[in-house]
Amino acid sequence: MGELRLMKGNEAVAEAAIRAGCDGYFGYPITPQSEVMEYLMAEKPHERTGMVVLQAESETASINMLYGAAGTGKMVMTSSSSPGISLMQEGISYMAGAELPAVIVNVVRGGPGLGTIQPSQADYFQAVKGGGHGDYKMIVLAPASVQEMCDHVKLGFDLAFKYRTPVMILSDGAIGQMMEKVVLFDPIPRRTEEELIRQNPWAATGKPKDRKHIIITSLDLDPAGQERVNLKLQAKYREIEKNEILYETLGCEDAEYLFVAFGLSARICQKSMDLARAKGIKVGLFRPVTLFPFPVKAINDLGKKVKGMLVVEMNAGQMIEDVKLSVGCSIKIEHYGRFGGIIPTPDEVVHALETQIIGG
Amino acid sequence: MEEPFVKTEIRKDENIVYKRTDLLVDRPLSYCPGCGHGVVHRLLMETLEEMDIQDKTIGVSPVGCSVLAYDFMNIDMLGAAHGRAPALATAIKRLWPDRFVFTYQGDGDLAAIGTAETIHACNRGENFTIIFINNGIYGMTGGQMAPTTLPGMRSSTSPYGRDVQTMGHPLKITELISNLPGVHYVTRQAVHTPSHVRKTKKAIRKALEQQKESKGIAFIEVVSNCNSGWKMTPVQSNKWMEENMFPFYPLGDIKVDGKLVEKKEVTEKA
Amino acid sequence: MAKIKGDILVNVERCKGCEVCIAACPSSTIAMSKEVNGKGYHFAMKVNNDCTGCMNCAIVCPDGVITVYRGKISE
């Protein structure tokens, strides 16, 4: 059993990075995630593990620092919030194209534009559908607790290196800011240079005489070559869909109705479930933990058992599209959401279930 | 093809005094005839060979004509997004402090879209080398105006000449960054004559050696030609460069050992 | 008596005919061919035996197509 601490979600991300053996963090301050770099700077990870932490001049620079470091096989992370993540889309697309591993944490705030600094889930499309140009996907993890903020960093690095892909942790301002107890995993030593080179023979680490030079790029001017790159990426995404789906169910065994929610919304729905069940409504909760890969089959199976689903999101209805694609048109699926930094109350959610799904 | 002319008895392997370095990949360069890129590529690779640091070098190529530099340099390299090379190099050098790290960038890449990355990497005193090729035009996209295009100079987006009133002034980014405390060595060179080539090579050597001492950025601007973009023959373009580019971008050292070089007009002729 | 002389070998197929070497050669040893290579470029070629092996042509050649030799010949 690891060390037990009371921490903010943002702090848990930072501590987890140090413990996961992360080599470098590059970031730029933005509310509500600035505690990540603040915690890192205060912890002097350079002394603890040799990890490099650098405050960049912009999110654009941060993500390109990630690209550079990841291209040499290093384990690197950045974090930001929605407007900053928008600035990073260029670099994320390049990293997906060049097949580079990294963890990118988005502590989402309300938008569009400068929006608000309050929590939101309005970046679902951007994260899950590929916010930058070109056909690419990221693995997207959606933590619903401070514990998961910690655990998803480690999981994120594992998946990033397993598949050579950027991984996004799609959190929100509430999970980032709130304090909860968290069990920290035991520190993993940073990889030595020899281990890194052995484990990542694709990385640009300096060309010895006896191997070909390594080129990290997303460019292939030959259309046939670029199509091959795309086919390879798609094959990788199919593999990820086959192996890496994570979700959680609560009270689904006898459920007649279902809440489908990720992250903070799922926490709210847990309370709504209690309230609804106290009224005699048999409702369960389905929480996707990976948003890409999306738990298509699990939701489809539940769609054959329940009468209706309410997709609760802190946005105008984004994940509902994937839920509908998973279930088809057999049952009623409605969205309930609040936007711009407003968090729905459990009562509101129950009311929405009663009016939009049961009575609707 | 059969070489049609005189061969002497000297032409045998033991008499070779100069040949293309093996650190250049054995394939034709993608550059136009007479383009300075090829010379700078070769000087860089010759220097790495002479320093015996091929296995310790990580390069970053830009977007622009030299986007494919990694195909020609037989070392590990990363291709950056447009303008972002100094951000990549920053992280690489910080995480691999014993590696020799350089960026190779053109004027659009370094002085327009990548201005922020350039200035901040310089100002932080990152310990890598920047090779900056300034030919006053966007070559790869077809001869558009660059941040370094001279006043009055024609390009496809300044077809009547650069009007500084509406299009802004050429940016002397090299002088600009030379004032930053994180920058240790700044020089402006050229590669169109043998003596200029020799000086540029010395500068590249000095810049790479400096990385051993962690003293900050070494920045080498090479004022070069773009005969295709300028719509001249290579030889004409070199002459035009001497007459027009050098007066505005004077050659010589700008900062040495962390100290600005006393201003004297070094408008050099070949 | 031995004399130091030079020679050059041009990689004809890689030459792009930019003529920069011609301007750099102090002994007027290089001129452009009338023929073209496989890419359609006129190429640099030796037109006399006055080469001293000074390497200027090779040093300015953007495509690195010139190999330079220098050695003693007996007269």
Side-chain angles (χ1 to χ4, degrees):
Chain A
M1 172 101 174
E3 187 185 339
L4 185 68
R5 283 222 227 146
L6 180 67
M7 297 180 102
K8 281 190 174 194
N10 289 336
E11 294 169 344
V13 162
E15 179 60 33
I18 302 173
R19 287 173 181 248
C22 178
D23 296 305
Y25 171 93
F26 304 90
Y28 186 82
I30 182 171
T31 309
Q33 66 76 53
S34 297
E35 292 84 359
V36 178
M37 196 174 11
E38 287 171 355
Y39 182 94
L40 284 171
M41 287 293 189
E43 277 295 310
K44 297 186 181 170
H46 198 76
E47 290 176 13
R48 272 177 65 181
T49 67
M51 176 183 173
V52 168
V53 184
L54 180 65
Q55 179 168 340
E57 63 270 30
S58 66
E59 288 88 351
T60 308
S62 308
I63 195 72
N64 283 286
M65 288 172 181
L66 237 62
Y67 176 98
T72 66
K74 293 283 184 179
M75 188 184 282
V76 282
M77 185 176 91
T78 188
S79 62
S80 187
S81 180
S82 311
I85 296 288
S86 289
L87 270 178
M88 291 186 186
Q89 292 306 321
E90 173 198 64
I92 294 172
S93 167
Y94 275 68
M95 292 178 83
E99 298 192 83
L100 298 184
V103 170
I104 301 149
V105 183
N106 184 359
V107 183
V108 182
R109 58 190 251 181
L114 201 49
T116 172
I117 60 172
Q118 306 301 330
S120 165
Q121 295 180 321
D123 296 356
Y124 178 93
F125 280 154
Q126 188 195 49
V128 172
K129 308 292 177 185
H133 60 282
D135 268 325
Y136 75 91
K137 294 274 187 190
M138 277 184 288
I139 294 176
V140 183
L141 305 173
S145 64
V146 174
Q147 183 66 54
E148 282 188 339
M149 285 288 261
C150 168
D151 296 344
H152 284 183
V153 170
K154 185 165 171 292
L155 173 65
F157 279 129
D158 289 345
L159 293 171
F161 277 89
K162 183 174 175 187
Y163 295 100
R164 280 184 62 189
T165 180
V167 172
M168 177 166 279
I169 297 178
L170 191 72
S171 173
D172 67 71
I175 307 255
Q177 292 291 329
M178 72 187 186
M179 294 186 86
E180 285 186 317
K181 69 178 177 191
V182 50
V183 180
L184 297 166
F185 57 86
D186 291 335
I188 303 159
R190 284 179 54 232
R191 292 172 306 182
T192 62
E193 194 175 310
E194 292 70 35
E195 286 168 342
L196 183 152
I197 291 170
R198 199 176 57 244
Q199 290 167 18
N200 307 297
W202 51 266
T205 54
K207 179 202 170 307
K209 297 260 181 292
D210 57 355
R211 75 149 159 81
K212 278 185 74 179
H213 68 140
I214 283 166
I215 299 166
I216 301 291
T217 183
S218 56
L219 176 72
D220 195 333
L221 290 168
D222 170 23
Q226 193 59 52
E227 187 175 54
R228 277 196 297 277
V229 169
N230 271 274
L231 289 170
K232 188 178 169 209
L233 290 178
Q234 293 304 320
K236 171 159 84 179
Y237 301 146
R238 297 298 85 78
E239 196 64 22
I240 290 169
E241 284 169 339
K242 207 167 81 191
N243 301 331
E244 307 301 342
I245 288 170
L246 291 172
Y247 59 87
E248 199 179 72
T249 56
L250 200 60
C252 289
E253 301 73 25
D254 64 340
E256 292 178 356
Y257 302 98
L258 211 59
F259 291 128
V260 185
F262 69 97
L264 184 68
S265 295
R267 292 282 288 266
I268 295 160
C269 287
Q270 276 183 45
K271 180 68 182 168
S272 306
M273 224 179 98
D274 293 344
L275 296 174
R277 283 195 174 250
K279 290 182 167 184
I281 304 168
K282 284 185 180 169
V283 60
L285 170 63
F286 185 90
R287 175 172 81 94
V289 175
T290 51
L291 301 180
F292 178 81
F294 196 71
V296 174
K297 186 173 181 304
I299 293 192
N300 182 274
D301 289 346
L302 284 165
K304 292 170 189 155
K305 286 163 55 178
V306 300
K307 296 179 189 163
M309 295 185 188
L310 184 71
V311 184
V312 181
E313 308 173 74
M314 283 150 56
N315 59 37
Q318 298 189 16
M319 185 176 71
I320 187 173
E321 293 189 2
D322 288 327
V323 175
K324 282 185 170 172
L325 283 169
S326 303
V327 175
C329 304
S330 51
I331 55 166
K332 184 159 197 176
I333 300 170
E334 290 275 315
H335 172 265
Y336 180 73
R338 299 293 302 266
F339 337 118
I342 303 283
I343 301 171
T345 66
D347 291 317
E348 273 175 64
V349 173
V350 174
H351 181 71
L353 178 70
E354 287 172 325
T355 53
Q356 292 176 233
I357 302 290
I358 301 171
Chain B
M1 192 176 293
E2 196 66 30
E3 199 217 4
F5 274 86
V6 271
K7 175 183 172 183
T8 70
E9 61 186 88
I10 296 160
R11 195 184 294 175
K12 43 193 175 195
D13 283 356
E14 64 263 34
N15 287 338
I16 289 176
V17 287
Y18 192 95
K19 72 184 212 357
R20 195 178 193 266
T21 169
D22 290 337
L23 262 68
L24 280 172
V25 175
D26 187 21
R27 66 192 300 176
L29 297 170
S30 54
Y31 305 110
C32 302
C35 174
H37 272 307
V39 181
V40 184
H41 280 27
R42 180 162 46 80
L43 296 181
L44 193 51
M45 291 304 106
E46 284 175 1
T47 308
L48 298 182
E49 187 175 36
E50 286 159 21
M51 292 172 73
D52 195 22
I53 54 171
Q54 181 188 25
D55 60 337
K56 292 263 176 249
T57 302
I58 302 173
V60 184
S61 64
V63 170
C65 287
S66 49
V67 65
L68 294 174
Y70 49 62
D71 279 344
F72 309 124
M73 300 182 183
N74 194 14
I75 53 170
D76 282 0
M77 287 190 79
L78 296 90
H82 200 19
R84 316 297 176 219
L88 272 69
T90 293
I92 295 167
K93 185 69 183 185
R94 288 201 178 221
L95 291 168
W96 297 90
D98 72 330
R99 295 301 197 267
F100 292 83
V101 178
F102 69 86
T103 70
Y104 188 102
Q105 302 176 261
D107 40 48
D109 191 85
L110 180 138
I113 196 166
T115 312
E117 285 77 10
T118 302
I119 287 183
H120 283 279
C122 286
N123 194 49
R124 284 191 302 263
E126 301 294 345
N127 190 34
F128 61 83
T129 300
I130 296 177
I131 312 274
F132 166 40
I133 311 296
N134 174 13
N135 57 15
I137 205 156
Y138 284 77
M140 187 178 71
T141 43
Q144 293 83 7
M145 186 178 72
T148 51
T149 298
L150 297 175
M153 187 174 162
R154 286 171 193 232
S155 72
S156 66
T157 51
S158 59
Y160 308 107
R162 182 178 193 150
D163 172 10
V164 295
Q165 293 300 316
T166 57
M167 298 166 179
H169 299 270
L171 180 59
K172 291 189 179 183
I173 190 134
T174 306
E175 277 81 356
L176 199 69
I177 61 96
S178 69
N179 288 301
L180 302 173
V183 177
H184 195 68
Y185 173 50
V186 184
T187 190
R188 183 184 280 129
Q189 301 292 340
V191 291
H192 63 305
T193 73
S195 66
H196 287 97
V197 172
R198 289 190 174 94
K199 282 187 200 165
T200 301
K201 188 168 172 185
K202 276 195 188 129
I204 291 172
R205 176 75 186 237
K206 184 177 166 68
L208 290 169
E209 294 281 357
Q210 186 186 304
Q211 289 195 29
K212 293 177 186 165
E213 296 158 45
S214 302
K215 286 195 164 156
I217 288 279
F219 188 105
I220 300 170
E221 173 181 339
V222 179
V223 181
S224 193
N225 60 343
C226 177
N227 50 76
S228 297
W230 298 355
K231 305 192 192 315
M232 298 172 194
T233 68
V235 173
Q236 280 170 350
S237 74
N238 283 339
K239 187 161 181 293
W240 191 90
M241 176 172 71
E242 288 177 355
E243 290 168 357
N244 298 276
M245 294 285 277
F246 292 176
F248 195 85
Y249 300 111
L251 304 187
D253 288 341
I254 296 170
K255 194 175 195 180
V256 178
D257 295 334
K259 291 191 189 69
L260 286 169
V261 175
E262 288 293 315
K263 262 207 176 148
K264 54 176 194 288
E265 285 306 314
V266 271
T267 46
E268 210 170 308
K269 291 258 170 179
Chain C
M1 190 189 129
K3 198 177 170 191
I4 301 288
K5 290 285 283 182
D7 197 356
I8 57 165
L9 176 65
V10 177
N11 183 342
V12 167
E13 282 307 315
R14 290 278 172 89
C15 178
K16 293 174 184 163
C18 73
E19 306 185 17
V20 174
C21 54
I22 296 177
C25 177
S27 54
S28 305
T29 298
I30 307 173
M32 280 297 125
S33 66
K34 294 238 167 18
E35 306 157 273
V36 294
N37 64 17
K39 296 269 189 202
Y41 292 118
H42 298 284
F43 48 89
M45 60 182 196
K46 218 178 126 182
V47 290
N48 63 38
N49 273 339
D50 299 338
C51 176
T52 61
C54 75
M55 306 188 287
N56 277 2
C57 55
I59 282 170
V60 295
C61 175
D63 292 279
V65 306
I66 305 174
T67 304
V68 184
Y69 304 81
R70 194 192 299 140
K72 284 182 187 151
I73 53 163
S74 42
E75 282 189 294

PDB file of all heavy atoms in Angstrom, chain A residues 51-69:
ATOM      1  N   MET A  51      14.423  14.801 -12.772  1.00  0.00           N
ATOM      2  CA  MET A  51      13.417  15.264 -13.740  1.00  0.00           C
ATOM      3  C   MET A  51      13.596  16.757 -14.021  1.00  0.00           C
ATOM      4  O   MET A  51      13.833  17.546 -13.116  1.00  0.00           O
ATOM      5  CB  MET A  51      12.024  15.011 -13.147  1.00  0.00           C
ATOM      6  CG  MET A  51      10.865  15.519 -13.977  1.00  0.00           C
ATOM      7  SD  MET A  51       9.315  15.211 -13.067  1.00  0.00           S
ATOM      8  CE  MET A  51       8.139  16.063 -14.109  1.00  0.00           C
ATOM      9  N   VAL A  52      13.478  17.122 -15.290  1.00  0.00           N
ATOM     10  CA  VAL A  52      13.604  18.520 -15.708  1.00  0.00           C
ATOM     11  C   VAL A  52      12.218  19.166 -15.744  1.00  0.00           C
ATOM     12  O   VAL A  52      11.273  18.585 -16.272  1.00  0.00           O
ATOM     13  CB  VAL A  52      14.253  18.592 -17.117  1.00  0.00           C
ATOM     14  CG1 VAL A  52      14.140  19.995 -17.705  1.00  0.00           C
ATOM     15  CG2 VAL A  52      15.709  18.155 -17.044  1.00  0.00           C
ATOM     16  N   VAL A  53      12.083  20.340 -15.162  1.00  0.00           N
ATOM     17  CA  VAL A  53      10.827  21.088 -15.235  1.00  0.00           C
ATOM     18  C   VAL A  53      11.145  22.466 -15.798  1.00  0.00           C
ATOM     19  O   VAL A  53      12.053  23.144 -15.325  1.00  0.00           O
ATOM     20  CB  VAL A  53      10.179  21.250 -13.839  1.00  0.00           C
ATOM     21  CG1 VAL A  53       8.830  21.959 -13.969  1.00  0.00           C
ATOM     22  CG2 VAL A  53       9.998  19.898 -13.171  1.00  0.00           C
ATOM     23  N   LEU A  54      10.421  22.865 -16.833  1.00  0.00           N
ATOM     24  CA  LEU A  54      10.707  24.148 -17.467  1.00  0.00           C
ATOM     25  C   LEU A  54       9.411  24.896 -17.752  1.00  0.00           C
ATOM     26  O   LEU A  54       8.481  24.337 -18.338  1.00  0.00           O
ATOM     27  CB  LEU A  54      11.491  23.928 -18.774  1.00  0.00           C
ATOM     28  CG  LEU A  54      11.864  25.199 -19.539  1.00  0.00           C
ATOM     29  CD1 LEU A  54      12.835  26.059 -18.742  1.00  0.00           C
ATOM     30  CD2 LEU A  54      12.467  24.853 -20.892  1.00  0.00           C
ATOM     31  N   GLN A  55       9.385  26.145 -17.343  1.00  0.00           N
ATOM     32  CA  GLN A  55       8.268  27.022 -17.716  1.00  0.00           C
ATOM     33  C   GLN A  55       8.570  27.609 -19.084  1.00  0.00           C
ATOM     34  O   GLN A  55       9.504  28.383 -19.247  1.00  0.00           O
ATOM     35  CB  GLN A  55       8.070  28.120 -16.677  1.00  0.00           C
ATOM     36  CG  GLN A  55       6.921  29.048 -17.061  1.00  0.00           C
ATOM     37  CD  GLN A  55       6.500  29.969 -15.925  1.00  0.00           C
ATOM     38  OE1 GLN A  55       6.773  29.721 -14.747  1.00  0.00           O
ATOM     39  NE2 GLN A  55       5.819  31.048 -16.267  1.00  0.00           N
ATOM     40  N   ALA A  56       7.766  27.223 -20.054  1.00  0.00           N
ATOM     41  CA  ALA A  56       7.990  27.649 -21.441  1.00  0.00           C
ATOM     42  C   ALA A  56       7.381  29.019 -21.670  1.00  0.00           C
ATOM     43  O   ALA A  56       6.699  29.568 -20.809  1.00  0.00           O
ATOM     44  CB  ALA A  56       7.394  26.624 -22.395  1.00  0.00           C
ATOM     45  N   GLU A  57       7.627  29.568 -22.866  1.00  0.00           N
ATOM     46  CA  GLU A  57       7.114  30.893 -23.197  1.00  0.00           C
ATOM     47  C   GLU A  57       5.678  30.852 -23.698  1.00  0.00           C
ATOM     48  O   GLU A  57       5.044  31.910 -23.827  1.00  0.00           O
ATOM     49  CB  GLU A  57       8.014  31.585 -24.227  1.00  0.00           C
ATOM     50  CG  GLU A  57       8.096  30.889 -25.586  1.00  0.00           C
ATOM     51  CD  GLU A  57       9.227  29.875 -25.673  1.00  0.00           C
ATOM     52  OE1 GLU A  57       9.571  29.287 -24.632  1.00  0.00           O
ATOM     53  OE2 GLU A  57       9.754  29.657 -26.776  1.00  0.00           O
ATOM     54  N   SER A  58       5.157  29.667 -23.958  1.00  0.00           N
ATOM     55  CA  SER A  58       3.781  29.546 -24.451  1.00  0.00           C
ATOM     56  C   SER A  58       3.417  28.069 -24.467  1.00  0.00           C
ATOM     57  O   SER A  58       4.291  27.203 -24.341  1.00  0.00           O
ATOM     58  CB  SER A  58       3.643  30.090 -25.878  1.00  0.00           C
ATOM     59  OG  SER A  58       4.380  29.285 -26.779  1.00  0.00           O
ATOM     60  N   GLU A  59       2.141  27.804 -24.643  1.00  0.00           N
ATOM     61  CA  GLU A  59       1.715  26.410 -24.802  1.00  0.00           C
ATOM     62  C   GLU A  59       2.251  25.845 -26.115  1.00  0.00           C
ATOM     63  O   GLU A  59       2.519  24.660 -26.224  1.00  0.00           O
ATOM     64  CB  GLU A  59       0.192  26.298 -24.767  1.00  0.00           C
ATOM     65  CG  GLU A  59      -0.421  26.505 -23.393  1.00  0.00           C
ATOM     66  CD  GLU A  59      -0.730  27.965 -23.098  1.00  0.00           C
ATOM     67  OE1 GLU A  59      -0.317  28.849 -23.878  1.00  0.00           O
ATOM     68  OE2 GLU A  59      -1.399  28.230 -22.074  1.00  0.00           O
ATOM     69  N   THR A  60       2.373  26.708 -27.115  1.00  0.00           N
ATOM     70  CA  THR A  60       2.926  26.273 -28.398  1.00  0.00           C
ATOM     71  C   THR A  60       4.346  25.748 -28.188  1.00  0.00           C
ATOM     72  O   THR A  60       4.713  24.696 -28.694  1.00  0.00           O
ATOM     73  CB  THR A  60       2.946  27.453 -29.389  1.00  0.00           C
ATOM     74  OG1 THR A  60       1.645  28.018 -29.421  1.00  0.00           O
ATOM     75  CG2 THR A  60       3.348  27.020 -30.775  1.00  0.00           C
ATOM     76  N   ALA A  61       5.132  26.508 -27.436  1.00  0.00           N
ATOM     77  CA  ALA A  61       6.496  26.059 -27.151  1.00  0.00           C
ATOM     78  C   ALA A  61       6.470  24.800 -26.298  1.00  0.00           C
ATOM     79  O   ALA A  61       7.218  23.853 -26.555  1.00  0.00           O
ATOM     80  CB  ALA A  61       7.287  27.167 -26.463  1.00  0.00           C
ATOM     81  N   SER A  62       5.594  24.763 -25.279  1.00  0.00           N
ATOM     82  CA  SER A  62       5.533  23.590 -24.386  1.00  0.00           C
ATOM     83  C   SER A  62       5.341  22.305 -25.173  1.00  0.00           C
ATOM     84  O   SER A  62       6.061  21.331 -24.979  1.00  0.00           O
ATOM     85  CB  SER A  62       4.359  23.684 -23.406  1.00  0.00           C
ATOM     86  OG  SER A  62       4.367  24.890 -22.729  1.00  0.00           O
ATOM     87  N   ILE A  63       4.349  22.305 -26.057  1.00  0.00           N
ATOM     88  CA  ILE A  63       4.034  21.051 -26.765  1.00  0.00           C
ATOM     89  C   ILE A  63       5.160  20.695 -27.713  1.00  0.00           C
ATOM     90  O   ILE A  63       5.436  19.514 -27.956  1.00  0.00           O
ATOM     91  CB  ILE A  63       2.669  21.147 -27.495  1.00  0.00           C
ATOM     92  CG1 ILE A  63       2.164  19.755 -27.909  1.00  0.00           C
ATOM     93  CG2 ILE A  63       2.729  22.031 -28.714  1.00  0.00           C
ATOM     94  CD1 ILE A  63       1.700  18.897 -26.788  1.00  0.00           C
ATOM     95  N   ASN A  64       5.858  21.704 -28.240  1.00  0.00           N
ATOM     96  CA  ASN A  64       6.965  21.388 -29.136  1.00  0.00           C
ATOM     97  C   ASN A  64       8.210  20.963 -28.365  1.00  0.00           C
ATOM     98  O   ASN A  64       9.047  20.224 -28.893  1.00  0.00           O
ATOM     99  CB  ASN A  64       7.239  22.563 -30.083  1.00  0.00           C
ATOM    100  CG  ASN A  64       6.217  22.612 -31.201  1.00  0.00           C
ATOM    101  OD1 ASN A  64       6.270  21.803 -32.113  1.00  0.00           O
ATOM    102  ND2 ASN A  64       5.247  23.510 -31.106  1.00  0.00           N
ATOM    103  N   MET A  65       8.332  21.413 -27.127  1.00  0.00           N
ATOM    104  CA  MET A  65       9.381  20.863 -26.268  1.00  0.00           C
ATOM    105  C   MET A  65       9.080  19.379 -26.021  1.00  0.00           C
ATOM    106  O   MET A  65       9.973  18.528 -26.058  1.00  0.00           O
ATOM    107  CB  MET A  65       9.442  21.636 -24.963  1.00  0.00           C
ATOM    108  CG  MET A  65      10.026  23.037 -25.137  1.00  0.00           C
ATOM    109  SD  MET A  65       9.902  24.030 -23.646  1.00  0.00           S
ATOM    110  CE  MET A  65      10.637  25.562 -24.207  1.00  0.00           C
ATOM    111  N   LEU A  66       7.793  19.083 -25.792  1.00  0.00           N
ATOM    112  CA  LEU A  66       7.385  17.688 -25.615  1.00  0.00           C
ATOM    113  C   LEU A  66       7.747  16.867 -26.849  1.00  0.00           C
ATOM    114  O   LEU A  66       8.278  15.765 -26.749  1.00  0.00           O
ATOM    115  CB  LEU A  66       5.864  17.622 -25.395  1.00  0.00           C
ATOM    116  CG  LEU A  66       5.388  16.954 -24.108  1.00  0.00           C
ATOM    117  CD1 LEU A  66       5.911  17.728 -22.918  1.00  0.00           C
ATOM    118  CD2 LEU A  66       3.881  16.847 -24.036  1.00  0.00           C
ATOM    119  N   TYR A  67       7.435  17.431 -28.013  1.00  0.00           N
ATOM    120  CA  TYR A  67       7.716  16.745 -29.278  1.00  0.00           C
ATOM    121  C   TYR A  67       9.212  16.434 -29.382  1.00  0.00           C
ATOM    122  O   TYR A  67       9.602  15.312 -29.716  1.00  0.00           O
ATOM    123  CB  TYR A  67       7.252  17.631 -30.439  1.00  0.00           C
ATOM    124  CG  TYR A  67       7.543  17.113 -31.827  1.00  0.00           C
ATOM    125  CD1 TYR A  67       6.585  16.444 -32.551  1.00  0.00           C
ATOM    126  CD2 TYR A  67       8.789  17.314 -32.415  1.00  0.00           C
ATOM    127  CE1 TYR A  67       6.855  15.964 -33.834  1.00  0.00           C
ATOM    128  CE2 TYR A  67       9.064  16.847 -33.685  1.00  0.00           C
ATOM    129  CZ  TYR A  67       8.097  16.175 -34.400  1.00  0.00           C
ATOM    130  OH  TYR A  67       8.379  15.713 -35.652  1.00  0.00           O
ATOM    131  N   GLY A  68      10.029  17.435 -29.082  1.00  0.00           N
ATOM    132  CA  GLY A  68      11.479  17.231 -29.173  1.00  0.00           C
ATOM    133  C   GLY A  68      11.953  16.159 -28.216  1.00  0.00           C
ATOM    134  O   GLY A  68      12.656  15.218 -28.597  1.00  0.00           O
ATOM    135  N   ALA A  69      11.543  16.275 -26.967  1.00  0.00           N
ATOM    136  CA  ALA A  69      12.005  15.332 -25.950  1.00  0.00           C
ATOM    137  C   ALA A  69      11.464  13.930 -26.219  1.00  0.00           C
ATOM    138  O   ALA A  69      12.185  12.938 -26.120  1.00  0.00           O
ATOM    139  CB  ALA A  69      11.575  15.810 -24.572  1.00  0.00           C
TER     140      ALA A  69
END
